[in-house]
Amino acid sequence: MSLSNKRIIFCLTLSLASAGLCSCSPGITHYSGTAYGYGTTWDIHLYQGSQKDVDEIVSYISKTSQVLDVEKTSCVNGVYTLNEKGTVEGDPFLLEAFSLANRVKEIAPDTFSYSLGALTSAWLESLDQGKVLDDATKLTLLEEAKSTTVSIAGNTITKAGKGQIDLGSIGKGLCLNKLKKTLDEKGIKQYLINGGSSSILVGETPNSDGNLKVYLEDAKPHYFYAKNLAISASSVSKQGVKIDGKTYSHIIDPRNGNANLGYDALYMLGEDAGLLDGLTTSFLVLGEQGKEKLNQLGVKYAFCKDGKVVYANEEFIR
């Protein structure tokens, strides 16, 4: 899936702020900023540190997003160059992105792929026209994706095959992991970084208990509390297109190239934002068959369908 194709709207509510945490109560130190990267707008809120720390975060989001951009018209040492030329001297962030993507692929080998870029784009173009992608195009692009491989030797990354590489399904999560490391090193513990709301990093908030209250947009009025962890979600409800009674989305099943899934959304909570980013996509595709594996991984999760939480592995959803 492309950088711009994974988003979900969370309802975020804090006792000290509302409307996306744009305002704070008197007497609470608050530094904020916005960034554009990975195809979406980010909201950054620090309750410790300085405005300079916010500015550094904004710059990092923009810089790393360019590395994973699949549509950039200028030549950079990133995914765009790899797709255009077939080989690239890897930026350190790009190398880490492939390492993370391969971790996700090991966990969900059948339902995670980073070579579906062309097929995803074809589906989106067809859905924009109110049509289901024709079988001939779907099968051709799916075969190209399945026959595409990426090899890494030192810093050199080489792509073989016609499939288009797209690391958007793990990009924001990896970026959040790197930002968390920086915040930890600076001793900043109170923060909220909202990566377009599909990937969120929560430290502690200035509330009495430090928790953030998060409502599930796909299953209101359910909510959960979050502190010192990452939140990730994949959803078809906001971008889904209904045709002949079926909902089609931007999330593609790598097994058959289809764009209609069994669940509407999958929410996850855990410590590794990058891993969660990839898992929410791949396990939303896999559905109930993946529940045992998710339990083994130790992440909290909730599958949603038709406005309800149909399965959660822990009673963290209220």
Side-chain angles (χ1 to χ4, degrees), residues 180-249:
K180 182 180 186 306
K181 181 179 179 181
T182 298
L183 291 170
D184 287 346
E185 291 172 350
K186 292 186 175 186
I188 298 174
K189 299 182 182 299
Q190 294 185 350
Y191 56 82
L192 170 65
I193 304 177
N194 183 354
S197 293
S198 65
S199 298
I200 300 175
L201 187 64
V202 183
E204 298 176 9
T205 66
N207 291 17
S208 58
D209 60 2
N211 277 303
L212 177 73
K213 187 177 183 180
V214 184
Y215 285 94
L216 278 67
E217 182 69 13
D218 287 272
K220 289 181 179 178
H222 290 291
Y223 63 90
F224 57 85
Y225 288 107
K227 180 171 69 173
N228 296 321
L229 49 71
I231 307 168
S232 183
S234 283
S235 172
V236 305
S237 61
K238 294 302 176 183
Q239 298 188 84
V241 176
K242 186 163 287 190
I243 301 174
D244 294 332
K246 291 184 178 181
T247 299
Y248 297 86
S249 79

Side-chain angles (χ1 to χ4, degrees), residues 17-244:
S18 61
L21 305 181
C22 292
S23 60
C24 285
S25 300
I28 295 178
T29 301
H30 179 230
Y31 306 99
S32 64
T34 59
Y36 187 82
Y38 302 90
T40 192
T41 299
W42 296 54
D43 291 316
I44 300 105
H45 302 272
L46 302 185
Y47 306 101
Q48 295 174 325
S50 68
Q51 191 62 42
K52 180 181 178 182
D53 295 315
V54 173
D55 295 341
E56 289 176 356
I57 290 173
V58 170
S59 176
Y60 188 78
I61 291 169
S62 176
K63 177 183 176 182
T64 55
S65 174
Q66 292 178 34
V67 175
L68 300 192
D69 197 341
V70 299
E71 300 174 346
K72 194 170 181 65
T73 55
S74 61
C75 186
V76 295
N77 269 354
V79 171
Y80 174 82
T81 302
L82 181 61
N83 280 331
E84 291 294 303
K85 297 185 175 182
T87 185
V88 64
E89 292 298 317
D91 178 283
F93 190 81
L94 180 61
L95 291 167
E96 286 193 57
F98 272 111
S99 176
L100 172 59
N102 287 331
R103 282 176 59 201
V104 178
K105 194 170 181 62
E106 288 178 2
I107 295 171
D110 296 327
T111 56
F112 182 84
S113 172
Y114 48 71
S115 56
L116 291 170
L119 179 56
T120 301
S121 295
W123 260 111
L124 291 174
E125 290 174 7
S126 185
L127 293 175
D128 282 344
Q129 299 171 16
K131 300 186 299 184
V132 175
L133 184 65
D134 65 275
D135 286 341
T137 300
K138 179 181 71 175
L139 294 176
T140 296
L141 294 177
L142 180 61
E143 182 55 36
E144 289 180 358
K146 287 183 174 181
S147 62
T148 297
T149 60
V150 173
S151 60
I152 301 174
N155 289 333
T156 302
I157 304 171
T158 303
K159 184 192 79 169
K162 296 181 180 180
Q164 295 294 296
I165 302 304
D166 188 339
L167 294 168
S169 58
I170 52 87
K172 286 192 291 184
L174 176 59
C175 182
L176 286 176
N177 278 349
K178 303 292 283 185
L179 293 176
K180 182 180 186 306
K181 181 179 179 181
T182 298
L183 291 170
D184 287 346
E185 291 172 350
K186 292 186 175 186
I188 298 174
K189 299 182 182 299
Q190 294 185 350
Y191 56 82
L192 170 65
I193 304 177
N194 183 354
S197 293
S198 65
S199 298
I200 300 175
L201 187 64
V202 183
E204 298 176 9
T205 66
N207 291 17
S208 58
D209 60 2
N211 277 303
L212 177 73
K213 187 177 183 180
V214 184
Y215 285 94
L216 278 67
E217 182 69 13
D218 287 272
K220 289 181 179 178
H222 290 291
Y223 63 90
F224 57 85
Y225 288 107
K227 180 171 69 173
N228 296 321
L229 49 71
I231 307 168
S232 183
S234 283
S235 172
V236 305
S237 61
K238 294 302 176 183
Q239 298 188 84
V241 176
K242 186 163 287 190
I243 301 174
D244 294 332

